[in-house]
Amino acid sequence: MTIEMVFVMVLIAGMLLALFFELARPDMIVFSVLVVLMLTGILSTEQALSGFSNEGMLTIALLFIVAGAVQKSGIVERFMTRWLQKSHGPVSSMVRTFIPISGMSAFLNNTPIVVAFTPVIKKWCEERGYSPSKFLIPLSYATIMGGTITLIGTSTNLVVHGMLLDYGEKGFSMFQLASVGLPLTAVGLLYLFTVGYRLLPAYENVQKQLEEEAKEYLCEMKVEPSFPFIRKTVQDAGLRDLQGMFLIEIIRKDERISPVSSNTIVQAGDRLIFTGVIEKMADLQRSPGLTLKTGTDLSLDDLRDNTNQLVEAVVSHQSSLQSKSIKQAQFRSAYDAGVVAVHRNNERIQSKIGDIRLRPGDSLLLLAGSDFLQKYRSSTDFYVVSALNTPDTIKEPPAKGWFSLAVLMVMIAVVTIGWLSMFQAMALAVLIFLVARIITPEEAKRNVQFQVLLLIASAFGVGNAMTETGLAAWMAGGLLTFGEPLGIIAVLFLIYALTNIFTELITNSAAAVLMLPIGLSIADSLNVEPMAFAVTIAIAASASFITPIGYQTNLIVYGPGGYKFSDYLKVGMPLTLISMLVTVGVVSYLYF
């Protein structure tokens, strides 16, 4: 090993540890490593920045816009909602729901699909007395498996496709991955409908749990005429930085003031609604002119009115809120919403709301304004998963929805025939949507997840460093030393297992970028078809079922389903083994 190889290996090991322990946002961690590689001369500026002009990465950016245009109308969600309403019985409902959802995920971004259907499925379960935890993990898994069917089914497929083009290979065709993705999806869904359903926990609905806990973390105080801070601000009245308590709403006759700013004026007769650790009421009890109730007759539903609504949101992997306390993030002013409660690992965090440091997967109960959904439905900071009514301002005429869907289908057909490349087809689709005013330039910009693109582009540079220093070839040699005596199928199993471990611990795109150079080096050493290893790595990087952090759709359902970390392991481990067996079996049959 050379000094450069050792340096790159140590740097990548540090990157993996930082990603695993969530020391910062994934895109910033990988970008920082890329900058170090560039400054130390391991990579030239051109090599470091090559990922930012990679065709696969740019195609993903366009695909975000196209998928956003199709999903903007809500036509897919309305169809599936009506379809779900006709279902009877839990297992038959899963069959009716998840088969078409898997099909949709083959052509649309699976993240917004899961965000859209999580509240729909939760509400449907509540109406019929079913546990949402029996349905939400399968929702995530169904979209992941459906994404393995086509080139555009997941960003990972496009990442591998773009890297193959950079290495001088021909890349994937539109349905090349279907030879593995279709049998994998069929067998995986069969598992979820049978054994998987029995292994899934039957937890109480988190929203219902919050309703029952409301008395424990909501308290009410009335402002008497004797209160010395009448007509003073909340800040001046000392109601802002309380020990363990957080003022979320003021009820003034028929008026609701929420979120409450530090400049809000306190008036006699105001009802102050607090959330937090109710045991820590010392500051409030010492305040003259405030009548304290140890509980409140208000329920969570009572906090809602025409201007306020309760919203459930899940902190994302790309969130700028990561590792910040709610107070540090200035959540109330940044999002015009107050945090009522935070749930983690199916339990409410017993701490002062403002001091809670947020992590990916945290489920937030927010008291927000009526325009919250319109403003933040495309936010990268969190996924809104409440069953909210879509505001009229974002409802689209059905004709626009059908037109968007038709354009997408035509573009897929054009790529399949070979008239245009995937990048050309998606660029044309975006142009059509802009000219036809299906989306505005501002909406197109909002739909692009720039943090995901930064992560992918930076990971390309890290992959280049592995190739340029010879580290990829060295690691490939080590794998071959162990696996080659056992045969090519054993080597495929090793590649799949290592890629899958990486995707569970870090991110799917980063795992694919790190493993593809190794896979291509192995193919070159064995003088075999490199596409076999590319397909194996693409599927293994997407098939993340064991942890909630490996894939963003798993994270989205983590809080709303009330799951524990172990639930993913229990249900996902058999599915991971099934996925490995199907992938390696089909690849070895087709290519060897």
Side-chain angles (χ1 to χ4, degrees):
M1 288 186 73
T2 65
I3 294 177
E4 283 187 338
M5 289 166 63
V6 173
F7 178 76
V8 172
M9 180 179 282
V10 170
L11 203 57
I12 290 175
M15 180 186 78
L16 296 178
L17 286 173
L19 287 168
F20 179 72
F21 289 108
E22 299 173 351
L23 299 183
R25 278 177 15 206
D27 57 314
M28 297 310 302
I29 292 172
V30 181
F31 179 69
S32 300
V33 171
L34 178 66
V35 172
V36 172
L37 290 169
M38 183 172 59
L39 294 178
T40 54
I42 300 294
L43 292 175
S44 67
T45 304
E46 292 74 17
Q47 289 170 329
L49 299 179
S50 62
F52 292 87
S53 61
N54 179 270
E55 184 175 320
M57 195 278 294
L58 294 174
T59 304
I60 293 169
L62 294 173
L63 199 59
F64 282 140
I65 300 173
V66 173
V70 173
Q71 289 162 332
K72 177 185 174 184
S73 66
I75 193 167
V76 174
E77 289 88 336
R78 285 197 294 269
F79 168 77
M80 283 304 302
T81 300
R82 287 195 295 267
W83 183 255
L84 188 61
Q85 293 301 326
K86 298 176 183 177
S87 303
H88 303 286
V91 177
S92 64
S93 300
M94 290 178 74
V95 174
R96 283 178 59 89
T97 305
F98 296 138
I99 290 177
I101 282 179
S102 295
M104 291 176 203
S105 186
F107 301 101
L108 296 173
N109 191 335
N110 50 17
T111 299
I113 288 177
V114 174
V115 170
F117 287 119
T118 294
V120 173
I121 289 175
K122 279 181 62 180
K123 185 177 180 182
W124 181 85
C125 288
E126 290 165 9
E127 291 171 351
R128 286 158 178 77
Y130 301 141
S131 171
S133 60
K134 285 284 189 181
F135 286 79
L136 293 182
I137 278 182
L139 170 65
S140 174
Y141 290 176
T143 60
I144 291 172
M145 292 185 291
T148 63
I149 296 174
T150 70
L151 173 59
I152 62 173
T154 176
S155 61
T156 309
N157 298 346
L158 285 165
V159 166
V160 175
H161 170 73
M163 290 189 71
L164 286 172
L165 295 177
D166 282 352
Y167 281 105
E169 301 292 337
K170 60 183 178 180
F172 296 139
S173 63
M174 173 60 81
F175 292 101
Q176 184 167 357
L177 292 166
S179 58
V180 179
L182 277 174
L184 168 60
T185 303
V187 176
L189 288 176
L190 182 63
Y191 160 78
L192 289 176
F193 299 154
T194 53
V195 178
Y197 181 78
R198 293 183 178 87
L199 293 175
L200 285 162
Y203 294 135
E204 187 178 34
N205 186 316
V206 172
Q207 188 70 24
K208 193 175 178 182
Q209 196 175 326
L210 284 169
E211 295 283 356
E212 293 174 355
E213 293 174 354
K215 297 292 185 204
E216 299 176 17
Y217 62 83
L218 288 180
C219 73
E220 177 182 338
M221 301 194 71
K222 185 176 180 181
V223 179
E224 304 292 348
S226 59
F227 186 55
F229 297 100
I230 297 291
R231 296 188 181 87
K232 300 288 186 180
T233 66
V234 166
Q235 184 75 47
D236 293 339
L239 300 173
R240 190 66 170 174
D241 298 310
L242 298 170
Q243 180 62 38
M245 303 298 293
F246 186 75
L247 180 60
I248 58 169
E249 184 173 76
I250 296 176
I251 302 176
R252 184 174 295 159
K253 297 182 181 177
D254 295 330
E255 182 187 1
R256 299 288 185 96
I257 302 172
S258 175
V260 181
S261 73
S262 57
N263 297 322
T264 301
I265 303 298
V266 179
Q267 296 184 13
D270 282 352
R271 296 167 65 193
L272 311 179
I273 310 301
F274 293 89
T275 182
V277 183
I278 304 303
E279 291 78 11
K280 297 182 179 180
M281 294 184 181
D283 290 345
L284 293 178
Q285 288 173 323
R286 287 196 295 266
S287 302
L290 294 179
T291 304
L292 174 68
K293 294 184 179 180
T294 56
T296 175
D297 295 332
L298 292 173
S299 68
L300 291 182
D301 279 330
D302 293 326
L303 296 180
R304 301 184 180 100
D305 66 4
N306 292 330
T307 58
N308 294 329
Q309 56 189 329
L310 285 167
V311 177
E312 187 179 357
V314 176
V315 179
S316 76
H317 260 314
Q318 290 82 36
S319 179
S320 60
L321 302 169
Q322 258 191 78
S323 303
K324 293 180 181 177
S325 70
I326 291 171
K327 188 175 181 179
Q328 286 173 336
Q330 297 182 316
F331 197 99
R332 181 165 29 194
S333 57
Y335 301 102
D336 194 27
V339 181
V340 178
V342 181
H343 267 235
R344 181 180 297 158
N345 297 329
N346 200 27
E347 294 179 359
R348 184 172 64 87
I349 300 176
Q350 300 282 341
S351 175
K352 183 180 178 182
I353 291 290
D355 293 338
I356 296 174
R357 290 191 175 275
L358 296 174
R359 300 179 191 169
D362 282 353
S363 188
L364 312 180
L365 184 67
L366 308 175
L367 188 61
S370 57
D371 60 348
F372 185 87
L373 177 61
Q374 182 181 354
K375 285 183 178 178
Y376 300 111
R377 63 195 178 104
S378 299
S379 172
T380 56
D381 286 332
F382 38 70
Y383 308 109
V384 179
V385 292
S386 290
L388 305 176
N389 294 324
T390 304
D392 293 335
T393 50
I394 62 173
K395 285 182 179 176
E396 291 291 320
K400 284 191 174 183
W402 288 113
F403 177 78
S404 303
L405 206 55
V407 170
L408 177 62
M409 292 298 107
V410 169
M411 291 302 106
I412 290 170
V414 166
V415 173
T416 304
I417 295 169
W419 290 352
L420 295 175
S421 70
M422 178 57 66
F423 177 76
Q424 292 170 330
M426 292 301 110
L428 178 58
V430 170
L431 180 61
I432 292 172
F433 289 148
L434 289 171
V435 170
R437 298 186 178 180
I438 301 298
I439 54 171
T440 64
E442 291 73 22
E443 287 173 329
K445 182 181 176 181
R446 282 201 303 268
N447 285 330
V448 176
Q449 298 179 25
F450 290 101
Q451 292 158 326
V452 174
L453 298 180
L454 178 61
L455 169 63
I456 293 171
S458 302
F460 272 105
V462 177
N464 285 340
M466 292 177 64
T467 303
E468 292 297 321
T469 59
L471 179 61
W474 180 83
M475 295 179 71
L479 285 173
L480 280 175
T481 300
F482 180 78
E484 191 174 11
L486 301 175
I488 189 67
I489 293 180
V491 175
L492 286 174
F493 271 117
L494 278 174
I495 288 292
Y496 187 103
L498 192 55
T499 306
N500 203 239
I501 290 170
F502 277 162
T503 203
E504 296 292 357
L505 298 179
I506 48 174
T507 65
N508 51 333
S509 296
V513 170
L514 292 178
M515 287 303 300
L516 189 65
I518 298 172
L520 295 181
S521 294
I522 290 176
D524 185 57
S525 299
L526 295 176
N527 196 26
V528 296
E529 173 59 56
M531 195 58 69
F533 290 93
V535 170
T536 302
I537 289 167
I539 300 294
S542 293
S544 172
F545 307 119
I546 298 177
T547 70
I549 62 173
Y551 206 92
Q552 52 197 4
T553 57
N554 289 344
L555 191 70
I556 293 167
V557 301
Y558 186 35
Y563 296 114
K564 299 174 183 175
F565 202 94
S566 58
D567 294 326
Y568 288 83
L569 185 64
K570 183 168 65 175
V571 183
M573 181 59 80
L575 187 56
T576 297
L577 296 176
I578 290 170
S579 174
M580 183 186 295
L581 290 171
V582 170
T583 302
V584 173
V586 173
V587 167
S588 61
Y589 174 77
L590 291 178
Y591 295 99
F592 303 117

